[in-house]
Amino acid sequence: MKNSDNIKLLTEKFFDGITTLEEERALYSYFSGDDIDLSLMPLQDMFRDLAALNNSVTADSIPTSVPATAKRPKARWRNMWTAFAAAAAAILLLVIVKTQAGRHEEQQLAALYEGSYMIVDGKRIDDLRKLKPEIEKSLSEAEQIERLMTADDMARKAELDVLSVMQTDEEREKIEKLINDDDSDNEKR
């Protein structure tokens, strides 16, 4: 096997996180030299930088509990992929929930306002999302008119009650005139 083929295998092992310290030193040594395979040239600066970092670490600074042939842990990559998968799952779940909420709202609108439409500037609008606010506005106005009509009816009934207890026609006429004058003043405003 050619040296460059061996180095290519070692770089694959390095990026998989399964090289030993001895294999890493072999990579640092190879990339520090001048006879580098052209396909591996893009990695030269990275391995030279790592070699410089490795040379700054002394034998005393390496913990004695870690054997010299210890392998790099794969857990970091596994954790990163797990976090990525969890984030992707959360985003997917959020999209599904939003979609379902939109469908539920559409079903509610269809149940309430199915067949409704309005004509605006000669164009028929039957989009329930556009109709809903207009329908709610119309219902609110109708409720307000109903309250006013109920208040007017109550006022008229009170007027009739007052008139019915009047002893004489003269008193009744004075009160009717006052009520009618008050009504005409209100209409002028």
Side-chain angles (χ1 to χ4, degrees), residues 42-93:
L43 302 174
Q44 183 180 24
D45 288 339
M46 180 189 77
F47 278 105
R48 281 188 178 174
D49 292 342
L50 289 172
L53 285 174
N54 189 41
N55 289 337
S56 67
V57 176
T58 63
D60 294 335
S61 67
I62 298 175
T64 56
S65 62
V66 178
T69 60
K71 295 183 178 182
R72 294 176 143 189
K74 281 185 157 183
R76 178 177 51 177
W77 292 104
R78 205 171 306 136
N79 289 343
M80 189 170 62
W81 281 107
T82 303
F84 175 74
I91 290 170
L92 180 63
L93 181 63

Short mmCIF file of all heavy atoms in Angstrom, two decimals, residues 42-93:
data_model
loop_
_atom_site.label_atom_id
_atom_site.label_comp_id
_atom_site.label_asym_id
_atom_site.label_seq_id
_atom_site.Cartn_x
_atom_site.Cartn_y
_atom_site.Cartn_z
N PRO A 42 -5.45 20.15 0.62
CA PRO A 42 -6.36 21.03 1.36
C PRO A 42 -6.33 20.80 2.88
O PRO A 42 -6.71 21.67 3.66
CB PRO A 42 -7.74 20.68 0.80
CG PRO A 42 -7.49 20.11 -0.55
CD PRO A 42 -6.16 19.43 -0.44
N LEU A 43 -5.84 19.65 3.30
CA LEU A 43 -5.79 19.33 4.74
C LEU A 43 -4.48 19.74 5.38
O LEU A 43 -4.35 19.68 6.61
CB LEU A 43 -6.01 17.82 4.94
CG LEU A 43 -7.31 17.24 4.39
CD1 LEU A 43 -7.32 15.73 4.54
CD2 LEU A 43 -8.50 17.86 5.09
N GLN A 44 -3.50 20.15 4.60
CA GLN A 44 -2.16 20.42 5.11
C GLN A 44 -2.15 21.47 6.21
O GLN A 44 -1.57 21.25 7.27
CB GLN A 44 -1.23 20.84 3.97
CG GLN A 44 0.19 21.05 4.45
CD GLN A 44 1.14 21.46 3.34
OE1 GLN A 44 0.69 22.00 2.33
NE2 GLN A 44 2.41 21.20 3.52
N ASP A 45 -2.80 22.62 6.00
CA ASP A 45 -2.77 23.68 7.01
C ASP A 45 -3.42 23.24 8.32
O ASP A 45 -2.90 23.51 9.41
CB ASP A 45 -3.48 24.94 6.49
CG ASP A 45 -2.67 25.66 5.42
OD1 ASP A 45 -1.43 25.44 5.35
OD2 ASP A 45 -3.28 26.43 4.66
N MET A 46 -4.52 22.52 8.21
CA MET A 46 -5.20 22.07 9.42
C MET A 46 -4.28 21.14 10.23
O MET A 46 -4.13 21.31 11.44
CB MET A 46 -6.50 21.34 9.06
CG MET A 46 -7.24 20.84 10.29
SD MET A 46 -8.63 19.75 9.91
CE MET A 46 -7.76 18.24 9.54
N PHE A 47 -3.67 20.16 9.57
CA PHE A 47 -2.83 19.21 10.30
C PHE A 47 -1.55 19.86 10.81
O PHE A 47 -1.06 19.50 11.87
CB PHE A 47 -2.53 17.97 9.44
CG PHE A 47 -3.65 16.97 9.47
CD1 PHE A 47 -4.51 16.82 8.40
CD2 PHE A 47 -3.86 16.18 10.59
CE1 PHE A 47 -5.54 15.90 8.43
CE2 PHE A 47 -4.89 15.26 10.64
CZ PHE A 47 -5.75 15.12 9.56
N ARG A 48 -1.02 20.84 10.10
CA ARG A 48 0.16 21.57 10.60
C ARG A 48 -0.21 22.34 11.87
O ARG A 48 0.55 22.38 12.83
CB ARG A 48 0.71 22.52 9.54
CG ARG A 48 1.55 21.81 8.51
CD ARG A 48 2.22 22.78 7.59
NE ARG A 48 3.07 22.06 6.64
CZ ARG A 48 3.69 22.63 5.64
NH1 ARG A 48 3.58 23.93 5.44
NH2 ARG A 48 4.45 21.93 4.83
N ASP A 49 -1.42 22.96 11.87
CA ASP A 49 -1.87 23.69 13.06
C ASP A 49 -2.07 22.73 14.23
O ASP A 49 -1.71 23.03 15.37
CB ASP A 49 -3.17 24.45 12.78
CG ASP A 49 -2.97 25.60 11.81
OD1 ASP A 49 -1.81 26.02 11.61
OD2 ASP A 49 -3.98 26.09 11.25
N LEU A 50 -2.66 21.59 13.95
CA LEU A 50 -2.87 20.60 15.01
C LEU A 50 -1.53 20.07 15.53
O LEU A 50 -1.39 19.81 16.74
CB LEU A 50 -3.74 19.45 14.50
CG LEU A 50 -5.22 19.79 14.25
CD1 LEU A 50 -5.93 18.63 13.57
CD2 LEU A 50 -5.92 20.14 15.56
N ALA A 51 -0.58 19.91 14.63
CA ALA A 51 0.75 19.45 15.06
C ALA A 51 1.39 20.47 15.98
O ALA A 51 2.01 20.12 17.00
CB ALA A 51 1.64 19.20 13.84
N ALA A 52 1.22 21.77 15.66
CA ALA A 52 1.78 22.82 16.51
C ALA A 52 1.12 22.78 17.89
O ALA A 52 1.79 22.95 18.91
CB ALA A 52 1.58 24.19 15.87
N LEU A 53 -0.19 22.58 17.92
CA LEU A 53 -0.89 22.45 19.21
C LEU A 53 -0.40 21.23 19.96
O LEU A 53 -0.21 21.27 21.18
CB LEU A 53 -2.40 22.36 18.99
CG LEU A 53 -3.13 23.62 18.62
CD1 LEU A 53 -4.59 23.32 18.29
CD2 LEU A 53 -3.06 24.63 19.75
N ASN A 54 -0.23 20.13 19.26
CA ASN A 54 0.21 18.88 19.88
C ASN A 54 1.61 19.03 20.48
O ASN A 54 1.89 18.50 21.54
CB ASN A 54 0.19 17.74 18.86
CG ASN A 54 0.43 16.40 19.52
OD1 ASN A 54 -0.09 16.14 20.59
ND2 ASN A 54 1.19 15.55 18.87
N ASN A 55 2.49 19.79 19.80
CA ASN A 55 3.85 19.99 20.31
C ASN A 55 3.86 20.86 21.56
O ASN A 55 4.77 20.78 22.36
CB ASN A 55 4.75 20.62 19.23
CG ASN A 55 5.06 19.62 18.13
OD1 ASN A 55 4.99 18.41 18.34
ND2 ASN A 55 5.38 20.14 16.96
N SER A 56 2.83 21.70 21.73
CA SER A 56 2.78 22.55 22.92
C SER A 56 2.30 21.78 24.14
O SER A 56 2.42 22.24 25.26
CB SER A 56 1.87 23.76 22.68
OG SER A 56 0.53 23.35 22.55
N VAL A 57 1.78 20.57 23.93
CA VAL A 57 1.34 19.73 25.04
C VAL A 57 2.54 18.88 25.46
O VAL A 57 3.12 18.18 24.67
CB VAL A 57 0.16 18.83 24.61
CG1 VAL A 57 -0.23 17.90 25.73
CG2 VAL A 57 -1.01 19.67 24.17
N THR A 58 2.86 18.94 26.74
CA THR A 58 3.99 18.16 27.24
C THR A 58 3.50 16.83 27.78
O THR A 58 2.31 16.66 28.04
CB THR A 58 4.72 18.92 28.37
OG1 THR A 58 3.81 19.08 29.45
CG2 THR A 58 5.21 20.27 27.87
N ALA A 59 4.41 15.92 27.97
CA ALA A 59 4.06 14.61 28.51
C ALA A 59 3.51 14.74 29.92
O ALA A 59 2.68 13.94 30.36
CB ALA A 59 5.27 13.69 28.49
N ASP A 60 3.96 15.76 30.66
CA ASP A 60 3.48 15.96 32.04
C ASP A 60 2.03 16.44 32.07
O ASP A 60 1.34 16.25 33.07
CB ASP A 60 4.36 16.99 32.76
CG ASP A 60 5.78 16.48 32.95
OD1 ASP A 60 5.96 15.24 32.97
OD2 ASP A 60 6.68 17.33 33.07
N SER A 61 1.59 17.10 30.99
CA SER A 61 0.23 17.64 30.99
C SER A 61 -0.82 16.62 30.59
O SER A 61 -2.00 16.87 30.73
CB SER A 61 0.14 18.86 30.07
OG SER A 61 0.33 18.46 28.74
N ILE A 62 -0.38 15.45 30.10
CA ILE A 62 -1.34 14.40 29.75
C ILE A 62 -1.64 13.61 31.00
O ILE A 62 -0.73 13.15 31.68
CB ILE A 62 -0.78 13.47 28.66
CG1 ILE A 62 -0.50 14.27 27.39
CG2 ILE A 62 -1.72 12.31 28.38
CD1 ILE A 62 0.16 13.48 26.30
N PRO A 63 -2.91 13.42 31.35
CA PRO A 63 -3.25 12.67 32.56
C PRO A 63 -2.72 11.25 32.47
O PRO A 63 -2.74 10.63 31.41
CB PRO A 63 -4.77 12.69 32.59
CG PRO A 63 -5.21 13.70 31.59
CD PRO A 63 -4.08 13.92 30.66
N THR A 64 -2.28 10.74 33.60
CA THR A 64 -1.71 9.38 33.61
C THR A 64 -2.78 8.31 33.46
O THR A 64 -2.48 7.21 33.07
CB THR A 64 -0.93 9.14 34.92
OG1 THR A 64 -1.82 9.39 36.02
CG2 THR A 64 0.27 10.04 35.00
N SER A 65 -4.03 8.66 33.76
CA SER A 65 -5.09 7.66 33.66
C SER A 65 -5.50 7.41 32.21
O SER A 65 -6.20 6.46 31.93
CB SER A 65 -6.31 8.09 34.47
OG SER A 65 -6.81 9.30 33.95
N VAL A 66 -5.06 8.26 31.27
CA VAL A 66 -5.40 8.08 29.87
C VAL A 66 -4.23 7.40 29.18
O VAL A 66 -3.14 7.94 29.14
CB VAL A 66 -5.68 9.44 29.18
CG1 VAL A 66 -5.99 9.23 27.71
CG2 VAL A 66 -6.80 10.17 29.88
N PRO A 67 -4.45 6.20 28.67
CA PRO A 67 -3.34 5.51 28.00
C PRO A 67 -2.96 6.23 26.71
O PRO A 67 -3.77 6.92 26.10
CB PRO A 67 -3.91 4.11 27.70
CG PRO A 67 -5.38 4.24 27.80
CD PRO A 67 -5.66 5.41 28.70
N ALA A 68 -1.74 6.08 26.28
CA ALA A 68 -1.23 6.75 25.09
C ALA A 68 -1.96 6.30 23.84
O ALA A 68 -1.97 6.99 22.83
CB ALA A 68 0.26 6.50 24.94
N THR A 69 -2.57 5.13 23.86
CA THR A 69 -3.28 4.63 22.69
C THR A 69 -4.78 4.87 22.78
O THR A 69 -5.56 4.24 22.07
CB THR A 69 -3.03 3.11 22.53
OG1 THR A 69 -3.49 2.46 23.70
CG2 THR A 69 -1.56 2.83 22.27
N ALA A 70 -5.19 5.79 23.67
CA ALA A 70 -6.62 6.06 23.84
C ALA A 70 -7.22 6.60 22.55
O ALA A 70 -6.57 7.32 21.81
CB ALA A 70 -6.83 7.07 24.96
N LYS A 71 -8.43 6.22 22.31
CA LYS A 71 -9.12 6.66 21.11
C LYS A 71 -9.96 7.88 21.43
O LYS A 71 -10.41 8.06 22.55
CB LYS A 71 -10.01 5.55 20.56
CG LYS A 71 -9.21 4.36 20.08
CD LYS A 71 -10.10 3.33 19.49
CE LYS A 71 -9.27 2.16 18.97
NZ LYS A 71 -10.07 1.16 18.34
N ARG A 72 -10.18 8.72 20.43
CA ARG A 72 -11.03 9.89 20.60
C ARG A 72 -12.47 9.42 20.78
O ARG A 72 -12.91 8.52 20.08
CB ARG A 72 -10.96 10.79 19.39
CG ARG A 72 -9.63 11.41 19.19
CD ARG A 72 -9.69 12.16 17.93
NE ARG A 72 -8.90 13.37 18.07
CZ ARG A 72 -8.89 14.33 17.20
NH1 ARG A 72 -9.64 14.25 16.15
NH2 ARG A 72 -8.15 15.38 17.39
N PRO A 73 -13.20 10.06 21.64
CA PRO A 73 -14.58 9.64 21.84
C PRO A 73 -15.47 10.05 20.67
O PRO A 73 -15.33 11.13 20.12
CB PRO A 73 -15.00 10.38 23.12
CG PRO A 73 -14.08 11.56 23.18
CD PRO A 73 -12.80 11.13 22.53
N LYS A 74 -16.36 9.16 20.32
CA LYS A 74 -17.33 9.45 19.27
C LYS A 74 -18.56 10.15 19.85
O LYS A 74 -19.41 10.60 19.11
CB LYS A 74 -17.80 8.16 18.60
CG LYS A 74 -16.86 7.58 17.60
CD LYS A 74 -17.54 6.40 16.97
CE LYS A 74 -16.98 6.09 15.62
NZ LYS A 74 -17.67 4.98 14.98
N ALA A 75 -18.62 10.21 21.16
CA ALA A 75 -19.81 10.74 21.82
C ALA A 75 -20.11 12.18 21.39
O ALA A 75 -21.26 12.56 21.27
CB ALA A 75 -19.63 10.67 23.33
N ARG A 76 -19.08 12.97 21.15
CA ARG A 76 -19.30 14.36 20.76
C ARG A 76 -20.10 14.43 19.47
O ARG A 76 -21.07 15.19 19.37
CB ARG A 76 -17.96 15.07 20.60
CG ARG A 76 -18.09 16.50 20.16
CD ARG A 76 -16.77 17.18 20.09
NE ARG A 76 -15.84 16.35 19.31
CZ ARG A 76 -14.62 16.70 19.03
NH1 ARG A 76 -14.14 17.82 19.47
NH2 ARG A 76 -13.83 15.92 18.32
N TRP A 77 -19.72 13.64 18.47
CA TRP A 77 -20.44 13.63 17.20
C TRP A 77 -21.84 13.06 17.38
O TRP A 77 -22.81 13.55 16.81
CB TRP A 77 -19.68 12.83 16.14
CG TRP A 77 -18.41 13.50 15.74
CD1 TRP A 77 -17.15 13.17 16.11
CD2 TRP A 77 -18.30 14.66 14.92
NE1 TRP A 77 -16.24 14.03 15.57
CE2 TRP A 77 -16.93 14.97 14.83
CE3 TRP A 77 -19.19 15.47 14.26
CZ2 TRP A 77 -16.45 16.04 14.11
CZ3 TRP A 77 -18.72 16.53 13.53
CH2 TRP A 77 -17.37 16.81 13.46
N ARG A 78 -21.92 12.00 18.19
CA ARG A 78 -23.22 11.39 18.44
C ARG A 78 -24.15 12.38 19.13
O ARG A 78 -25.32 12.50 18.77
CB ARG A 78 -23.04 10.14 19.31
CG ARG A 78 -24.13 9.14 19.14
CD ARG A 78 -23.83 7.82 19.83
NE ARG A 78 -22.56 7.29 19.40
CZ ARG A 78 -21.66 6.76 20.24
NH1 ARG A 78 -21.90 6.66 21.50
NH2 ARG A 78 -20.51 6.30 19.78
N ASN A 79 -23.61 13.11 20.11
CA ASN A 79 -24.42 14.12 20.81
C ASN A 79 -24.86 15.23 19.86
O ASN A 79 -25.98 15.72 19.95
CB ASN A 79 -23.65 14.71 21.98
CG ASN A 79 -23.48 13.73 23.12
OD1 ASN A 79 -24.17 12.73 23.18
ND2 ASN A 79 -22.53 14.00 23.99
N MET A 80 -23.96 15.63 18.98
CA MET A 80 -24.30 16.69 18.04
C MET A 80 -25.42 16.23 17.10
O MET A 80 -26.38 16.96 16.86
CB MET A 80 -23.07 17.09 17.22
CG MET A 80 -23.29 18.34 16.39
SD MET A 80 -21.79 18.99 15.67
CE MET A 80 -21.25 17.66 14.63
N TRP A 81 -25.32 15.00 16.60
CA TRP A 81 -26.36 14.48 15.72
C TRP A 81 -27.68 14.29 16.48
O TRP A 81 -28.76 14.51 15.93
CB TRP A 81 -25.92 13.18 15.05
CG TRP A 81 -25.01 13.44 13.91
CD1 TRP A 81 -23.67 13.22 13.86
CD2 TRP A 81 -25.36 14.03 12.65
NE1 TRP A 81 -23.16 13.62 12.65
CE2 TRP A 81 -24.17 14.12 11.89
CE3 TRP A 81 -26.54 14.48 12.10
CZ2 TRP A 81 -24.16 14.65 10.61
CZ3 TRP A 81 -26.52 15.00 10.82
CH2 TRP A 81 -25.33 15.08 10.09
N THR A 82 -27.58 13.86 17.72
CA THR A 82 -28.79 13.70 18.54
C THR A 82 -29.47 15.04 18.74
O THR A 82 -30.69 15.15 18.62
CB THR A 82 -28.44 13.07 19.90
OG1 THR A 82 -27.78 11.82 19.68
CG2 THR A 82 -29.67 12.86 20.75
N ALA A 83 -28.68 16.09 19.04
CA ALA A 83 -29.25 17.42 19.22
C ALA A 83 -29.87 17.92 17.92
O ALA A 83 -30.97 18.50 17.93
CB ALA A 83 -28.17 18.39 19.70
N PHE A 84 -29.21 17.67 16.81
CA PHE A 84 -29.75 18.07 15.51
C PHE A 84 -31.06 17.35 15.23
O PHE A 84 -32.04 17.96 14.79
CB PHE A 84 -28.72 17.77 14.41
CG PHE A 84 -29.24 18.04 13.03
CD1 PHE A 84 -29.39 19.34 12.57
CD2 PHE A 84 -29.62 16.99 12.19
CE1 PHE A 84 -29.87 19.59 11.30
CE2 PHE A 84 -30.12 17.24 10.93
CZ PHE A 84 -30.24 18.54 10.48
N ALA A 85 -31.10 16.04 15.49
CA ALA A 85 -32.32 15.26 15.26
C ALA A 85 -33.45 15.74 16.15
O ALA A 85 -34.60 15.84 15.72
CB ALA A 85 -32.04 13.77 15.48
N ALA A 86 -33.13 16.06 17.41
CA ALA A 86 -34.16 16.55 18.32
C ALA A 86 -34.71 17.90 17.86
O ALA A 86 -35.92 18.14 17.91
CB ALA A 86 -33.59 16.67 19.73
N ALA A 87 -33.82 18.78 17.40
CA ALA A 87 -34.26 20.09 16.90
C ALA A 87 -35.14 19.91 15.65
O ALA A 87 -36.18 20.57 15.52
CB ALA A 87 -33.06 20.97 16.59
N ALA A 88 -34.73 19.02 14.76
CA ALA A 88 -35.52 18.78 13.55
C ALA A 88 -36.89 18.19 13.91
O ALA A 88 -37.91 18.59 13.34
CB ALA A 88 -34.77 17.83 12.61
N ALA A 89 -36.92 17.29 14.88
CA ALA A 89 -38.20 16.71 15.32
C ALA A 89 -39.09 17.78 15.94
O ALA A 89 -40.31 17.80 15.70
CB ALA A 89 -37.95 15.57 16.30
N ALA A 90 -38.50 18.67 16.73
CA ALA A 90 -39.29 19.74 17.35
C ALA A 90 -39.87 20.68 16.29
O ALA A 90 -41.04 21.08 16.38
CB ALA A 90 -38.41 20.52 18.33
N ILE A 91 -39.08 21.01 15.29
CA ILE A 91 -39.57 21.89 14.22
C ILE A 91 -40.69 21.19 13.44
O ILE A 91 -41.72 21.79 13.14
CB ILE A 91 -38.41 22.29 13.28
CG1 ILE A 91 -37.47 23.25 14.02
CG2 ILE A 91 -38.93 22.92 12.00
CD1 ILE A 91 -36.18 23.54 13.29
N LEU A 92 -40.50 19.91 13.15
CA LEU A 92 -41.52 19.15 12.45
C LEU A 92 -42.82 19.09 13.26
O LEU A 92 -43.91 19.29 12.72
CB LEU A 92 -41.02 17.74 12.14
CG LEU A 92 -41.98 16.81 11.40
CD1 LEU A 92 -42.28 17.38 10.01
CD2 LEU A 92 -41.39 15.43 11.28
N LEU A 93 -42.69 18.86 14.56
CA LEU A 93 -43.87 18.82 15.43
C LEU A 93 -44.58 20.16 15.44
O LEU A 93 -45.82 20.23 15.37
CB LEU A 93 -43.45 18.42 16.86
CG LEU A 93 -44.57 18.30 17.87
CD1 LEU A 93 -45.55 17.20 17.47
CD2 LEU A 93 -44.00 18.03 19.24
#
